[in-house]
Amino acid sequence: ILAVGVVIGLSIGVIPGLGGVVGLAILIPFTYNLDPFTAFALLLGMAATTTVSDLIPAVLFGVPGTVGAAATVLDGHALARAGQAGRAFGAGYAASLFGGVFGAILLAATIPLLRPLVLYLASPELLSFCIFGLSMVAVLSGRAPLKGLTAASLGLMLAMVGSGAQSGTLRWTFGTLYLWDHIPLVPLTLGIFAIPELADLAIARSSIARAGLATDLSLASQWRGFGDAADHWWLVLRCSWLGAILGAIPGLGSASIDWIAYGHAMRTEKNTELFGEGDIRGVIAAESSNNAKEGGHLVPTIAFGVPAGASMGLLLSAFLIHGFVPGPEMLTKHLDITYSIIWSLTIAHIMGAGICLSASGLLARLAMVRVGMLLPLVLAVVFIGAFQGSQSWGDVYSLVLFGGFGWVMKRLDWPRPPLILGFVLGAIFERYFFISTEIYGSSWITRPIVVIILAGAAAAIWRPLLHSVRDTVGSLGRLRLAMIRPNHAVAFTAAIILAIALAFWFSRDWPAEARLVPRAASYAALAFALLNLATELFASPDPAALQRAKALVGGLRERLPHDDPPVAPPLLRARAARYFAWLVGFLLLGAVIGFLPAIWCFVLLLSHLEFAERWSHALLASTIATLALWAIFDRILAVPWPQSLIGDLLPALRAATGLL
């Protein structure tokens, strides 16, 4: 039964947008007639391994299988483009295996020891953890801290969209019902990360890996990745420990833990210039923490009955269904159940890593599949993954909108991880800020753990910010206007400043408690964006940037990150425009004929008309993809499909199919 759960979890983790929450919701009804040991083996086998297989789409397509794998995309996909998908798989699975087992062992050893600490943590400590997570922005921004801080502030502003938790005020919803319940995380993450990577793939018109580089797919290449993880055992251990500890903190959220671990690796490792461009240490750090957090999540769930996340909330319901009340009894009277859970978690990680390792050689060969066959299928999965955000057309609209924004950010060298980190921590930050100030007043900042954590956050952000601001102010003092600067970079920053100013204006009539955090985020975003604009206008460019600017002005062809051969700028713009036109076309077609029929047409027409695949190949691919998605999401998950125009006109057809 544990093996069945592992296979289900691996299958769910590969599909973007799904995760442990969906898997637990599916499987819990099947455990009603099982004994507790078997039931928890099934549930934990599934929940543990979604964070193992989510590595596969992150490496191959730049599409995070779950939101916890977003940091893996940065270096994992870059390695796949360089023909080292097998190495990325091996390192990722080794780190996943060690992190998962470490988290389980830590769970076994520290439940009694962590009880006083977890009970001591109150809203001020949780707020300080959020601030520490936000301090990772400066690290994740690389050589552009001002851009990263601006993006993080924009993420905080996006997190404020919707009904305010304190006052119920509708903030930046613009009369749209979809935005009342906030922007879902999955469409935003897929839009910022997946759509831009797939756009570059469509523009380059080549397979994922550059020609002649994706040949080392043997088991030996994966063992090389295992060797990388062994060489960096201290990094694996640190990030596993960090993931397990942060996972034990209720309310921090799974989506932020891997970013914090990734930022920790960038701060503490040497020679980090290649982080984000194919450094194997980035994969190791993200994957070890991503899997170790599962053991950490179980600490407050089992010991105190406090779920650390949505998936643990469902697991808590499974405890109650089978007659167990989490708390002291799980550490005394039902200790056998507790340790069966720990062993299930441990063995599931070992089985999951073994299965993925045996199949990853075959999976890595997807890196050489023609883009005309692969890209439409991946886009179809991304569309339906984004649709799981709130199961409305608004999710797919958000996907395309943020996809365009993310692609522009990528082309103009704006770091995208800070935006996601700011979004993930925004709502948590606001909630704990109000609770802390209401209960403790201003004295919350003097609590010992808070002081220690805030000192670490200040140390993380002060140096890169000071260096960037000093250079900008010095350049302004000299009034040195850079003569060669791509105008679109300045225009993009100016557009962001205008958007921030408009958002600030629309918040003028909100109650004080509703506008406090949004306006603070707006002030920060505006200040950082203005400093960045000054940098782009006046700061002297570094030699590498100057050479790139000269190449553009001189009409030389720009090389995409994985482009072989290079693409001329006019052709690049034309292909990008057609790519996003296809995405908008899917939205229009789906509104007319329904979601699944639109996917069938989209895959068929995109493969044949845009990439010149044969009609027979395109028809076969579109039919298989649509039937597979129908079986999973309609028959198994019973997803309520959004209404379409043809369904409104022909209600009998809608009633007969349930798809329109």
Side-chain angles (χ1 to χ4, degrees), residues 398-419:
S398 298
L399 171 75
V400 176
L401 179 64
F402 288 117
F405 184 69
W407 187 75
V408 175
M409 289 182 71
K410 182 180 181 182
R411 301 302 303 167
L412 298 181
D413 295 324
W414 277 68
R416 291 170 288 166
L419 188 146

Side-chain angles (χ1 to χ4, degrees), residues 243-318:
I245 295 299
L246 294 177
I249 300 173
L252 189 58
S254 301
S256 59
I257 292 174
D258 61 331
W259 288 121
I260 295 175
Y262 189 88
H264 166 76
M266 289 187 67
R267 287 182 57 204
T268 57
E269 291 290 298
K270 297 179 180 178
N271 303 319
T272 59
E273 296 82 6
L274 293 180
F275 263 70
E277 299 178 10
D279 195 313
I280 197 68
R281 293 172 295 176
V283 176
I284 291 171
E287 286 300 304
S288 54
S289 64
N290 188 28
N291 286 267
K293 75 176 186 293
E294 298 301 316
H297 281 341
L298 284 168
V299 172
T301 306
I302 292 176
F304 319 116
V306 178
S311 61
M312 291 298 106
L314 286 174
L315 190 64
L316 188 62
S317 70

